[in-house]
Amino acid sequence: MTTSIGRRTSHLPVPANLLLWLIAAFHMLLLAALFAAFLTARPAAAGDVACTGRNLMVELQQNDPTRYAEALKEADATPNGKGIFWKIEKPGLAPSWLLGSMHVTDPRVLALPPRAQAAHDAADTIIIESDEILDERKATAALLAKPELTMFTDGTTIDKLLSPEDYKRLETGLKQRGIPISAVSRMRPWMISSAVALPACEIARKAKGAQFLDQKIATDAIAEGKQVKGLETLAEQIQAMADLPVEFHLKSLIQTLELGDKMSDVVETMTDLYLSGDIGMTMPMLKTVTPEEEGENSDYAAFEQRVILDRNKVMAERAAPILDSGNVFMAVGALHLPGKDGVIELLRQQGFTVTAVN
C-alpha cells in the first residue's frame, strides 16, 4: 500500500499494534463517540441498519486453538482484567462503585448489570469522564474552541495526505455511513477515524439520537436530581490525541479503512468481551486481527502513554477527593481500568480497597 504523507511517498506496514487505536473510539475517548454523533446527525445515515458482526474469538478458538490459547494466557496475565463493575471502599465511608463503560449505543451495553443499576440509582454523586457531554452546545464549543487541534488550518486537506487509491477508499467508507467527504476534508485524520471506525449500525443509531452509555448514565442521573461531575474536559481529550504525530493518525486511518467490513467483526468481538467482563482479552484479540510487524512499537508506546496512562493518572487523582465523600457511582472507559497502571491500581495506591463485583 502506498500513501502520501506530507507530500512524500512511503510504504506503510500494517502492524497489529496500530489496531489498538480502535480502543480509543470504543472504550476510552468520549470525544470520538461525541464527534461521531455530531457528524452523523444527518438524514442519510438515519435508516435502520442491522449489525452484522461476528465474534472473532469464537472463530479463532475453532480454527487456531494454539493462537487462541496464547491470547487467553496474555489476557489472564493482565492485572484486573476480569470484570467491568467494581466496589470501592475506605474505612468510615459508604461504599462507592466503579463501572467500566463502552462509548457506544448498543442496547446490550446500555442495559446495566442489575447490581450496577441499583448502585447508580442509590448513589448521591455520579462521576463520568466529562460532564460536558450533558450539554451539546458546550460540547460543540469545546470542539471548536481550538480549531487547530481538530482541523488543518494551513490549507491542508485529507486528499493531499492520501494516495488516490486510499482517498477513494475513504470516500467510499464515509459514503456508506452517510457522510460526504466534503464534510471532513479539512479534519485531522484522528477525527475522521472516529467516524470510520464505527460500524454502520452504530452510526445509524447515533444519527437517530440514541445516547451512548456514558450519556445515558449522566442524563438519567440529572433526571433523578443527582450531582454529576466530570474528570476531564473535552479540550483535554482533544489535546491528548492532537499531541500524537499526524503520521501516526494517518496510519491508523488507513488501517481502519483496510479492515473494511471486518470492522463490524472487530466491534462485535469487543462488545462481546465487554459484556462478558473479559476486558483483559481486548488487546490480545486485536493483535490477532492482523499479523504482527516488527519495528513499529514506538508509535503504540507513545499512544499508550499519552492517551491511556497519562489520562489514567488524571482520572484517579481527580476522582479520589470525590470518592472520599462516599456513595459515588463512577463510570469511565473500561480499558482505563486494568493493568498495573490502570485506574483500579491507582485508586488502591490512594488508600481505597477496590474489588470486583460478580
Side-chain angles (χ1 to χ4, degrees):
M1 176 187 60
T2 300
T3 186
S4 173
I5 303 177
R7 298 180 181 273
R8 63 181 174 85
T9 300
S10 63
H11 178 74
L12 295 180
V14 188
N17 278 343
L18 289 184
L19 280 174
L20 301 180
W21 185 94
L22 298 174
I23 297 171
F26 296 102
H27 287 282
M28 298 182 301
L29 198 61
L30 275 177
L31 179 61
L34 184 68
F35 169 70
F38 170 75
L39 181 64
T40 59
R42 54 185 76 248
D48 290 325
V49 180
C51 297
T52 58
R54 300 166 298 151
N55 189 319
L56 296 173
M57 297 310 291
V58 172
E59 294 186 4
L60 184 67
Q61 184 177 18
Q62 295 172 345
N63 300 330
D64 193 343
T66 299
R67 197 173 182 189
Y68 176 82
E70 292 172 354
L72 189 63
K73 183 178 180 180
E74 182 179 346
D76 289 341
T78 302
N80 309 311
K82 293 284 188 180
I84 60 171
F85 188 49
W86 300 73
K87 186 176 184 179
I88 303 174
E89 298 174 284
K90 181 181 281 190
L93 298 179
S96 291
W97 309 89
L98 173 61
L99 176 73
S101 66
M102 189 174 181
H103 308 320
V104 295
T105 63
D106 190 317
R108 295 171 297 173
V109 173
L110 296 182
L112 294 181
R115 295 190 67 176
Q117 186 64 61
H120 173 280
D121 294 344
D124 296 324
T125 303
I126 305 295
I127 298 176
I128 55 175
E129 287 184 28
S130 175
D131 58 359
E132 290 174 332
I133 62 174
L134 286 164
D135 186 330
E136 290 187 3
R137 286 179 296 180
K138 186 176 180 180
T140 302
L143 284 172
L144 300 177
K146 294 184 177 182
E148 70 278 6
L149 299 182
T150 58
M151 310 282 288
F152 290 114
T153 57
D154 59 358
T156 298
T157 52
I158 194 65
D159 61 297
K160 297 178 182 178
L161 302 176
L162 297 175
S163 69
E165 178 186 5
D166 288 330
Y167 182 76
K168 183 63 176 179
R169 183 180 291 150
L170 174 61
E171 185 176 34
T172 300
L174 290 172
K175 185 177 181 180
Q176 291 172 346
R177 292 160 175 78
I179 305 170
I181 199 164
S182 59
V184 304
S185 63
R186 294 186 180 276
M187 290 181 180
R188 294 190 175 273
W190 71 268
M191 294 287 284
I192 302 173
S193 293
S194 67
V196 174
L198 297 175
C201 59
E202 180 69 18
I203 290 289
R205 287 192 295 258
K206 289 181 183 295
K208 287 185 173 182
Q211 294 181 317
F212 53 90
L213 179 57
D214 308 72
Q215 283 179 314
K216 185 176 186 301
I217 287 172
T219 301
D220 289 349
I222 291 295
E224 296 166 5
K226 301 179 187 296
Q227 186 177 32
V228 175
K229 296 185 177 182
L231 299 176
E232 300 175 297
T233 65
L234 292 178
E236 288 173 323
Q237 290 196 343
I238 294 172
Q239 189 67 60
M241 293 297 281
D243 283 347
L244 298 173
V246 67
E247 288 84 1
F248 171 81
H249 291 305
L250 193 60
K251 290 176 187 178
S252 301
L253 172 59
I254 293 168
Q255 189 175 23
T256 302
L257 289 169
E258 283 189 327
L259 284 174
D261 293 339
K262 200 170 186 179
M263 271 304 309
S264 293
D265 297 336
V266 172
V267 174
E268 179 64 21
T269 307
M270 284 197 289
T271 302
D272 285 350
L273 291 175
Y274 174 81
L275 293 172
S276 65
D278 292 325
I279 303 304
M281 179 63 89
T282 305
M283 288 188 179
M285 178 276 294
L286 288 173
K287 291 177 182 178
T288 70
V289 177
T290 59
E292 192 80 32
E293 295 281 347
E294 296 181 358
E296 291 290 324
N297 292 330
S298 60
D299 280 343
Y300 176 66
F303 168 84
E304 182 182 37
Q305 184 63 52
R306 187 65 187 93
V307 180
I308 305 177
L309 302 181
D310 288 353
R311 294 177 59 225
N312 287 352
K313 293 178 182 178
V314 169
M315 290 183 186
E317 289 173 358
R318 294 178 180 175
I322 306 174
L323 293 169
D324 277 335
S325 64
N327 198 28
V328 173
F329 183 91
M330 175 176 169
V332 298
L335 287 189
H336 283 294
L337 305 189
K340 64 183 181 62
D341 297 309
V343 168
I344 290 172
E345 284 300 326
L346 293 175
L347 289 176
R348 287 171 177 161
Q349 292 173 19
Q350 297 187 68
F352 296 97
T353 299
V354 188
T355 53
V357 178
N358 295 321

